[in-house]
Amino acid sequence: MADDVDFADERIEKELASALSARIVYSGVSALECECGEEISEGRRLAVPGVRDCITFAEHSALRLRGVRRG
């Protein structure tokens, strides 16, 4: 018989699977410059092959997707 813990575990597994399937997977050649005009650091280009955004632009984009508004 399923209890609250089982239901919570199922929900966590579904949310994790959804988050993993929605993540951006980069591949290919990394850009040298972000669309915001900033240079993409060598460390970021090596760590995330195929990256197109600098870390600052990527963080702001992620916040916008989550509905966070900044002044």
Side-chain angles (χ1 to χ4, degrees), residues 31-41 52-54 56-57:
L32 297 175
E33 187 176 291
C34 178
E35 65 182 82
C36 72
E38 293 294 320
E39 180 181 337
I40 300 172
S41 69
R52 299 278 177 226
D53 302 325
C54 68
T56 304
F57 190 81

Side-chain angles (χ1 to χ4, degrees), residues 1-70:
M1 186 168 162
D3 61 4
D4 289 340
V5 174
D6 293 326
F7 292 127
D9 189 42
E10 285 180 27
R11 181 174 178 179
I12 290 169
E13 286 183 21
K14 287 179 183 177
E15 288 180 8
L16 179 60
S18 176
L20 287 173
S21 68
R23 70 187 165 92
I24 298 172
V25 179
Y26 296 101
S27 64
V29 178
S30 297
L32 297 175
E33 187 176 291
C34 178
E35 65 182 82
C36 72
E38 293 294 320
E39 180 181 337
I40 300 172
S41 69
E42 181 180 1
R44 179 159 170 78
R45 286 183 282 134
L46 293 173
V48 186
V51 70
R52 299 278 177 226
D53 302 325
C54 68
I55 191 69
T56 304
F57 190 81
E59 288 173 346
H60 286 273
S61 296
L63 288 172
R64 267 195 315 273
L65 285 173
R66 291 180 23 212
V68 177
R69 298 170 76 183
R70 299 241 169 156

